[in-house]
Amino acid sequence: MVGRRWFVPLTALVLALSGPAGAAAAPAPADADPRPATAAAGGFGDPGPYATAVDVGAVTTLYYPRDIADSDRRHPVIVWGNGTFAFPVVYRELMLHWASHGFIVAAANTPQSNLGISMRAGIDLLERRDADSGSEFHGRVDLENIGASGHSQGGAASIVVGDDPRVDTILPIQPGPLADIDDVDVPAFLMAGQRDSIVLPWLVKRFYGDADHIPAIYGEVRGANHLTVVGDPGPFAAPTTAWFRLHLMGDQTARTQFFGPDCGICTDSDTWSDVRRNALAEQFMAVAP
């Protein structure tokens, strides 16, 4: 990720997308249920039942359920790392999608996320806000259920952050090479793009091969290039949402997407060009938080 080819594509996307995105709240569905127990009807790729809001801070941008102050539940956390020279606005649609399903997304405001420092700072920020009686997040942050994700350099960062004892699962998307998955002790879903010419699929498979000490799944999105996930996240929206709803919310309707003899991603050849599960993943029994 140190060469020019890592920087140019995402730099162009920042310039193209940063103008109109801003920090506006996403509109609420007309029949939004403020207390969902499972994913919205229609699937994990459809918008969830929560209206969403965005809070752009100096170090962290938060995407979250808009009426969180009135919620009667705590909401799990996803910390996010950007690709090289990218910012959270590049991935705005994916962040808002997760927030619509009830997650608080703490996205690092840095184009150089590999060390994971700003991602950990996002957890620290939410710990403070959860404890602050004057904050809308007071008593509404589920700090017992935290996931880490990111794209490209940020995907590598999500592996780096995976050694934080506060993190319960990782979901690196087309992760760059500067990370050591041997330090991770939580379940991992590693996503690659079949036509990615920047993070070649074999690089992601190398992480998967080294993850024989944890439940690990490798999923290669058919036809996806390195930039498929930005803007409209398309085929990345549903599986990422299902993974986090299972591991951070205990949503057992998502379990069959990944585990069991006929797992959804294992049989969906239209979406996936290659799916692999290691021995620990095949034996894995998800337990509701």
Side-chain angles (χ1 to χ4, degrees):
M1 287 192 299
V2 295
R4 178 179 176 81
R5 67 188 185 130
W6 291 95
F7 300 139
V8 174
L10 288 176
T11 304
L13 273 163
V14 171
L15 295 175
L17 297 177
S18 59
D31 57 347
D33 175 4
R35 295 174 295 177
T38 59
F44 298 104
D46 293 333
Y50 287 98
T52 57
V54 183
D55 179 4
V56 181
V59 177
T60 306
T61 295
L62 298 176
Y63 300 83
Y64 60 98
R66 186 175 65 195
D67 297 325
I68 194 167
D70 298 322
S71 177
D72 64 354
R73 61 180 295 184
R74 289 182 176 267
H75 294 263
V77 175
I78 301 171
V79 291
W80 173 265
N82 310 302
T84 303
F85 277 12
F87 294 89
V89 66
V90 172
Y91 308 97
R92 181 177 185 271
E93 296 307 315
L94 181 60
M95 307 295 101
L96 290 173
H97 183 78
W98 288 343
S100 79
H101 280 262
F103 297 100
I104 303 169
V105 184
N109 291 343
T110 175
Q112 302 290 337
S113 59
N114 212 138
L115 295 178
I117 296 171
S118 295
M119 292 172 70
R120 297 180 200 271
I123 303 177
D124 297 340
L125 171 66
L126 287 171
E127 287 178 339
R128 293 193 299 272
R129 292 204 177 180
D130 183 69
D132 180 1
S133 60
S135 168
E136 65 180 322
F137 293 92
H138 178 59
R140 298 294 181 266
V141 186
D142 185 356
L143 295 166
E144 297 301 316
N145 289 285
I146 299 175
S149 186
H151 175 237
S152 196
Q153 183 180 155
S158 70
I159 297 174
V160 172
V161 173
D163 71 355
D164 191 308
R166 297 172 295 183
V167 171
D168 299 287
T169 186
I170 63 170
L171 199 166
I173 299 173
Q174 297 160 297
L178 302 181
D180 187 355
I181 205 164
D182 288 335
D183 296 331
V184 177
D185 293 318
V186 296
F189 180 25
L190 297 143
M191 298 188 72
Q194 183 187 24
R195 301 190 185 281
D196 191 340
S197 60
I198 296 178
V199 176
L200 300 172
W202 70 264
L203 289 168
V204 186
K205 289 176 183 174
R206 187 173 65 181
F207 280 124
Y208 169 77
D210 287 343
D212 56 359
H213 62 295
I214 57 175
I217 296 177
Y218 169 82
E220 184 178 292
V221 180
R222 185 175 296 281
N225 61 37
H226 196 62
L227 302 181
T228 299
V229 70
V230 304
D232 178 355
F236 289 87
T240 58
T241 302
W243 181 265
F244 283 131
R245 287 197 64 99
L246 172 62
H247 288 278
L248 303 182
M249 291 182 174
D251 185 348
Q252 295 302 304
T253 64
R255 184 182 182 280
T256 55
Q257 292 298 309
F258 307 100
F259 302 105
D262 300 312
C263 79
I265 68 170
C266 303
T267 57
D268 181 7
S269 59
D270 290 336
T271 302
W272 306 95
S273 52
D274 191 359
V275 172
R276 306 180 184 195
R277 300 183 298 172
N278 68 11
L280 291 176
E282 290 181 351
Q283 301 165 9
F284 184 73
M285 297 293 290
V287 178

